Amino acid sequence: CCRGGRARAAAAQVERLQREISSTSEAELAQLHASASRIQSSWRSCQRKVLLQEFMRHVYSQPDLSKARKHAQNFLPKDRHGNLYPLTTSLKTFHPLGCGLALYFHLLHWWWLYSFLLLLMTLPVTSINLQGSALPALDGDLLTRIQTSHTLGNADELTLAHGVTEVLVVSVTVWFMFWQSSKMKRLSARITHQDLSASNYTVLVSRLPATLHDVSSVQEYFLRW
């Protein structure tokens, strides 16, 4: 009974639409057909674009960790044999790779020594702060105790060691900044005029096979450097 009612309702709607279409003029019918054609054309165009995007994503966008690792290793510095440098490589090894890269690693090395020196200088004051109980937040959880127990606010009173440490830290920082600036200028001049030459950026290839037609294999070989 329910299906029969739905069928009769659908038939009534179809009949009503047919009457409306028969009562429209030829100009209106032409506009209706043109609009329907434009809608169908837009729908088919969108459908083709979506199907093409899904096809490209399925075929060409599959992630591959081995390819990603190989691509990343192509940009890492290597020795003359095409092998990656070990972690114990000397800083002078990076001089032929350019002034910017070499100075970057020198800067990391200097700042590591500078940070370690500041740590040693502030250890006495840090121990004094740990013995204090000025912050009520120390009665809270463990994370709060770790974050606040070593700070200056936890010290019961300011001592001469606090002032001396601040003066030493500022003095060492100012000296380090001026020393670093002059050191980088001298090192940059040395790398540019002594450690670098045209041979560091030039590859001369000779005695290639006469039957070689695919240059991609040669290119792939030298891309390891």
Side-chain angles (χ1 to χ4, degrees):
C1 180
C2 182
R3 292 182 179 178
R6 292 179 180 177
R8 286 192 297 272
Q13 291 180 358
V14 171
E15 185 179 357
R16 181 173 57 82
L17 288 174
Q18 289 178 349
R19 287 197 303 269
E20 291 179 357
I21 292 175
S22 61
S23 61
T24 55
S25 61
E26 294 183 357
E28 292 176 346
L29 285 176
Q31 292 180 357
L32 182 62
H33 285 297
S35 301
S37 299
R38 284 196 297 269
I39 293 175
Q40 290 178 355
S41 176
S42 301
W43 168 253
R44 293 192 186 98
S45 176
C46 293
Q47 190 178 21
R48 285 194 298 266
K49 290 180 180 179
V50 171
L51 291 176
L52 180 60
Q53 290 176 358
E54 292 297 328
F55 175 75
M56 297 291 289
R57 186 181 294 112
H58 177 72
V59 176
Y60 299 102
S61 302
Q62 296 298 325
D64 192 338
L65 291 179
S66 61
K67 292 182 180 179
R69 189 179 296 108
K70 184 179 179 181
H71 178 74
Q73 287 182 354
N74 289 333
F75 298 95
L76 297 178
K78 303 176 182 64
D79 58 14
R80 59 189 182 92
H81 302 291
N83 301 320
L84 294 175
Y85 287 120
L87 295 178
T88 56
T89 302
S90 173
L91 293 177
K92 293 182 180 180
T93 310
F94 298 98
H95 290 189
L97 300 177
C99 185
L101 184 63
L103 289 180
Y104 169 74
F105 283 103
H106 278 282
L107 189 66
L108 291 181
H109 180 69
W110 297 336
W111 274 85
W112 177 85
L113 297 176
Y114 166 70
S115 302
F116 183 72
L117 178 61
L118 291 186
L119 175 64
L120 295 179
M121 293 172 56
T122 55
L123 276 179
V125 175
T126 304
S127 63
I128 295 176
N129 297 338
L130 288 172
Q131 297 173 7
S133 58
L135 291 179
L138 291 179
D139 299 331
D141 56 353
L142 179 62
L143 181 60
T144 306
R145 293 177 60 86
I146 294 176
Q147 293 176 346
T148 58
S149 59
H150 64 278
T151 60
L152 182 62
N154 190 45
D156 295 330
E157 59 179 356
L158 296 180
T159 61
L160 181 62
H162 289 88
V164 172
T165 303
E166 293 293 334
V167 172
L168 286 176
V169 169
V170 173
S171 303
V172 169
T173 302
V174 173
W175 169 82
F176 176 75
M177 292 300 174
F178 281 99
W179 174 85
Q180 176 184 253
S181 177
S182 60
K183 183 71 174 180
M184 291 186 69
K185 290 179 181 179
R186 294 195 301 268
L187 191 59
S188 175
R190 172 187 170 184
I191 294 174
T192 304
H193 301 291
Q194 297 182 14
D195 299 337
L196 283 180
S197 62
S199 60
N200 298 118
Y201 301 95
T202 307
V203 177
L204 177 62
V205 183
S206 61
R207 304 179 67 179
L208 291 175
T211 58
L212 181 64
H213 300 288
D214 185 14
V215 247
S216 60
S217 58
V218 182
Q219 182 181 7
E220 183 179 357
Y221 176 79
F222 286 103
L223 276 178
R224 295 187 301 171
W225 284 267

